[in-house]
């Protein structure tokens, strides 16, 4: 067997594989001999079929199968030994005139080669690294939410601004009849809020659905309709008041602190605020890190310039999936996936240059921490190592879950590299201002 490569350019090559008779003949003969021992052909005893007849019936199929196996093994071995960084898979050049009666065969494969490039993490323009803090306003709002949640309902005769009103939305034409409990602050306009002030049990209030709520999901919940049904909905509905309550705030005392955090963990309002701030900012770190990861990824894709074997990759995409694509579909698919492919190459180079590795112990440790966090949400604060090991083993028996955790750990390690080596500027702001700056009015 002889394998040669011709580089068309820096990104494309053609590999030629020449297979001689001595490469496959022994294997073919052995398989045919085994066939002869087991073949059932009318007129011949088992094991006594003439070899000529076996070759005539099975010879070409066995030859084709063995040559193809030999070809794939040789090609894979060649790519590994030559350390060729290929994109996609080798594409066989079409051959309609293979003479399977010949002794020697030649096959050619097109290769798409990965480009050579450098990654510069430290760009001229600094990337913002957000440090999100829980400000006093947010902490006070969270405390009020907790007091409402653990407070008690006090019955009222008439609706006030901070009342919780229970009643039924109705519209006969649309067959709407849904009982809900609502608060006035959810309504989009003051006009609709004022319609409720002073109302008593049994009163009927008429409302228009258009502009009733700022968010579509609030209207969906109120009327018990699907998203498609509330889109553009402009009808009149009635709301019949059945019950009016005011939520009396729970006292900020030791009983409440113990309910929230366990006995004796928090003892004063100051400690409560500190705990709320600490817990909130832990969550904010995850959001800030994800934003930084996204921004550095975007910067790397935009700033790291290199060419790709686009023609080869477009052709490869035609046969790479379950469905065969035509030229136009493959071109569209390539354009959609090009950015992702570029980042995969950049990420691979960063992983190699920074010696990033994820071990099985890393994956198992991460899985156990994840499981501990989930169990804590259900009040199981101190699971045993044996219990965690058992659950982790079940989780990691799923290959998709193992791969997902591995990818998460790689992202975490890359994030550490970015924080150390990229050109970053730290910006501290409240969560409310972070949302405004990053997401605008969305």
């Amino acid at each position: 067997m002889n394998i040669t490569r011709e580089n068309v350019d820096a990104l494309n090559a053609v590999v030629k594989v020449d297979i001689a008779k001595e490469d496959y003949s022994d294997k073919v003969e052995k398989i045919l001999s085994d066939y002869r021992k087991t073949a059932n052909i009318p007129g011949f005893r088992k094991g006594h079929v003439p070899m000529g007849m076996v070759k005539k019936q099975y010879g070409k199929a066995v030859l084709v199968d063995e040559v193809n196996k030999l070809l794939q093994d040789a090609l894979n071995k060649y790519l590994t030994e030559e350390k060729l960084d290929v994109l996609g898979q080798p594409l066989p050049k079409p051959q309609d005139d293979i003479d399977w009666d010949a002794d020697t065969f030649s096959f050619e494969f097109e290769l798409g080669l990965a480009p050579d490039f450098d990654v510069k993490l430290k760009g001229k323009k600094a990337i913002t690294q957000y440090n999100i803090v829980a400000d006093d306003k947010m902490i006070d709002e969270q405390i009020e939410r907790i007091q409402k949640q653990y407070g008690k309902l006090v019955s009222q005769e008439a609706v006030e601004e901070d009342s919780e009103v229970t009643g039924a939305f109705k519209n006969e034409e649309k067959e709407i009849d849904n009982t809900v409990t609502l608060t006035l602050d959810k309504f989009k306009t003051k006009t609709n809020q004022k319609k409720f002030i002073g109302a008593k049990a049994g009163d009927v209030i008429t409302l228009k659905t258009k502009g009733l709520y700022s968010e579509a999901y609030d209207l969906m919940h109120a009327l018990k309709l699907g998203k498609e049904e509330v889109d553009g909905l402009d009808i009149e509905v009635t709301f019949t008041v059945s019950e009016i309550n005011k939520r009396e705030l729970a006292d900020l005392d030791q009983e409440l602190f113990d309910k929230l955090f366990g006995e004796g963990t928090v003892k004063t309002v100051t400690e409560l605020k500190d705990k709320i701030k600490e817990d909130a900012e832990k969550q904010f770190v995850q959001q800030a890190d994800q934003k930084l990861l996204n921004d550095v990824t975007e910067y790397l894709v935009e700033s790291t310039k290199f060419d790709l074997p686009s023609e080869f990759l477009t052709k490869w995409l035609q046969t790479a999936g379950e469905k065969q694509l035509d030229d136009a579909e493959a071109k569209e698919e390539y354009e959609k996936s090009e950015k992702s492919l570029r980042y995969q190459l950049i990420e691979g180079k960063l992983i190699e240059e920074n010696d990033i590795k994820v071990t099985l112990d890393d994956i198992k440790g991460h899985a156990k921490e994840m499981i501990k966090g989930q169990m804590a949400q259900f009040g199981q604060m101190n699971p045993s190592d044996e219990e965690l090991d058992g659950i982790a083993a079940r989780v990691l028996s799923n290959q998709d879950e193992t791969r997902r955790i591995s990818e998460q750990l790689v992202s975490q390690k890359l994030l550490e590299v970015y924080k150390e080596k990229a050109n970053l500027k730290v910006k501290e702001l409240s969560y409310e201002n972070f949302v405004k700056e990053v997401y605008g009015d969305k």
Side-chain angles (χ1 to χ4, degrees):
M1 185 183 301
N2 185 42
I3 303 180
T4 56
R5 182 177 83 248
E6 179 186 349
N7 290 330
V8 178
D9 54 37
L11 298 173
N12 295 274
V14 175
V15 168
K16 184 180 180 184
V17 183
D18 295 319
I19 297 178
K21 187 174 183 178
E22 57 266 25
D23 297 322
Y24 61 82
S25 59
D26 288 348
K27 185 71 173 174
V28 170
E29 287 296 327
K30 184 179 184 310
I31 293 172
L32 290 174
S33 293
D34 291 340
Y35 275 19
R36 183 176 181 238
K37 293 173 186 176
T38 58
N40 284 314
I41 296 179
F44 297 94
R45 283 186 298 134
K46 194 172 182 179
H48 288 77
V49 181
M51 180 56 84
M53 187 172 287
V54 173
K55 285 185 176 181
K56 185 176 181 181
Q57 188 162 346
Y58 302 109
K60 187 166 289 186
V62 171
L63 173 65
V64 171
D65 190 45
E66 286 307 308
V67 167
N68 279 325
K69 285 180 185 176
L70 189 64
L71 185 61
Q72 290 303 318
D73 289 345
L75 188 59
N76 291 336
K77 185 179 178 184
Y78 175 79
L79 296 178
T80 302
E81 289 178 348
E82 293 293 310
K83 297 179 180 177
L84 291 177
D85 192 0
V86 298
L87 301 179
Q89 295 292 331
L91 283 177
K93 282 194 167 186
Q95 286 179 272
D96 298 325
D97 56 348
I98 299 175
D99 181 8
W100 291 105
D101 293 322
D103 290 336
T104 60
F105 308 98
S106 290
F107 302 91
E108 291 185 337
F109 293 84
E110 296 177 66
L111 303 182
L113 305 177
D116 187 26
F117 59 93
D118 294 320
V119 181
K120 294 180 181 177
L121 271 173
K122 199 173 283 292
K124 290 181 181 178
K125 186 178 179 182
I127 298 169
T128 302
Q129 179 183 0
Y130 291 98
N131 178 27
I132 310 170
V133 296
D135 59 5
D136 291 342
K137 178 187 173 189
M138 181 180 189
I139 294 168
D140 290 341
E141 287 174 350
Q142 178 65 11
I143 289 174
E144 186 175 343
R145 278 194 291 272
I146 290 169
Q147 287 181 280
K148 283 182 178 179
Q149 182 183 348
Y150 287 90
K152 62 180 179 179
L153 290 176
V154 178
S155 180
Q156 292 180 293
E157 281 194 18
V159 177
E160 298 176 8
E161 271 191 31
D162 57 354
S163 296
E164 292 185 11
V165 186
T166 301
F169 280 105
K170 293 185 180 181
N171 177 285
E172 287 188 15
E173 184 185 348
K174 293 288 184 179
E175 297 182 345
I176 295 168
D177 186 353
N178 188 43
T179 299
V180 294
T181 298
L182 55 81
T183 56
L184 306 189
D185 61 328
K186 287 283 188 179
F187 291 126
K188 187 174 182 179
T189 66
K190 292 285 185 184
T191 302
N192 283 324
Q193 293 177 17
K194 287 177 182 176
K195 289 181 180 180
F196 281 77
I197 301 297
K200 298 180 179 180
D203 287 355
V204 179
I205 299 162
T206 302
L207 302 158
K208 288 198 171 186
T209 57
K210 187 177 181 180
L212 183 59
Y213 290 101
S214 299
E215 304 293 343
Y217 57 78
D218 285 325
L219 187 60
M220 290 162 59
H221 171 70
L223 306 183
K224 205 174 183 181
L225 296 175
K227 188 175 187 310
E228 297 79 11
E229 295 172 292
V230 300
D231 280 346
L233 186 66
D234 187 6
I235 60 171
E236 278 193 350
V237 291
T238 60
F239 184 88
T240 304
V241 179
S242 59
E243 188 178 336
I244 308 160
N245 293 295
K246 183 175 183 177
R247 193 166 287 272
E248 192 175 275
L249 298 182
D251 292 330
L252 295 174
D253 56 17
Q254 194 60 50
E255 182 183 354
L256 178 61
F257 301 156
D258 290 348
K259 280 181 183 176
L260 293 171
F261 303 108
E263 192 173 342
T265 303
V266 169
K267 297 176 181 176
T268 65
V269 172
T270 301
E271 288 180 5
L272 172 66
K273 290 184 175 183
D274 290 343
K275 183 66 175 166
I276 290 172
K277 181 178 176 67
E278 178 189 347
D279 290 346
E281 289 180 354
K282 280 181 184 176
Q283 297 298 316
F284 296 159
V285 167
Q286 295 176 10
Q287 289 183 278
D289 281 351
Q290 187 59 55
K291 172 63 177 166
L292 179 60
L293 196 60
N294 293 344
D295 289 347
V296 175
T297 297
E298 193 70 28
Y299 155 74
L300 289 171
V301 172
E302 293 299 321
S303 65
T304 309
K305 304 297 183 184
F306 53 82
D307 292 326
L308 288 169
S310 54
E311 187 177 329
F312 168 85
L313 289 170
T314 303
K315 194 188 298 184
W316 171 69
L317 283 169
Q318 288 188 273
T319 56
E322 293 180 7
K323 178 192 168 190
Q324 180 92 12
L325 304 180
D326 60 29
D327 290 348
E329 289 172 329
K331 184 178 179 183
E332 183 183 355
E333 185 64 27
Y334 173 73
E335 287 171 354
K336 285 194 295 186
S337 59
E338 183 185 357
K339 190 173 182 179
S340 173
L341 175 58
R342 286 183 176 278
Y343 181 67
Q344 285 176 26
L345 291 170
I346 294 166
E347 183 183 66
K349 197 167 189 70
L350 287 169
I351 288 170
E352 182 183 355
E353 289 179 349
N354 292 280
D355 196 28
I356 291 175
K357 294 183 177 69
V358 173
T359 67
L360 191 56
D361 284 343
D362 292 334
I363 295 171
K364 186 178 178 182
H366 184 85
K368 288 170 71 172
E369 287 301 315
M370 181 178 69
I371 293 161
K372 278 174 72 174
Q374 291 170 349
M375 292 176 78
Q377 291 177 5
F378 296 96
Q380 295 174 267
M381 306 305 292
N382 296 301
S384 67
D385 283 339
E386 185 179 351
E387 191 175 6
L388 289 172
D389 285 337
I391 299 172
R394 289 197 293 276
V395 169
L396 299 181
S397 66
N398 182 325
Q399 290 186 348
D400 289 339
E401 188 65 20
T402 301
R403 183 169 58 253
R404 186 185 69 81
I405 292 173
S406 177
E407 288 170 355
Q408 282 183 348
L409 289 171
V410 168
S411 291
Q412 287 178 12
K413 290 174 184 284
L414 280 171
L415 189 63
E416 291 168 12
V417 172
Y418 298 159
K419 287 180 178 180
E420 179 188 346
K421 297 183 178 181
N423 182 10
L424 306 178
K425 60 178 180 182
V426 177
K427 184 171 185 177
E428 185 175 289
L429 71 182
S430 69
Y431 181 72
E432 183 179 359
N433 288 333
F434 169 77
V435 171
K436 285 179 182 176
E437 181 165 320
V438 173
Y439 304 107
D441 295 327
K442 290 187 278 186

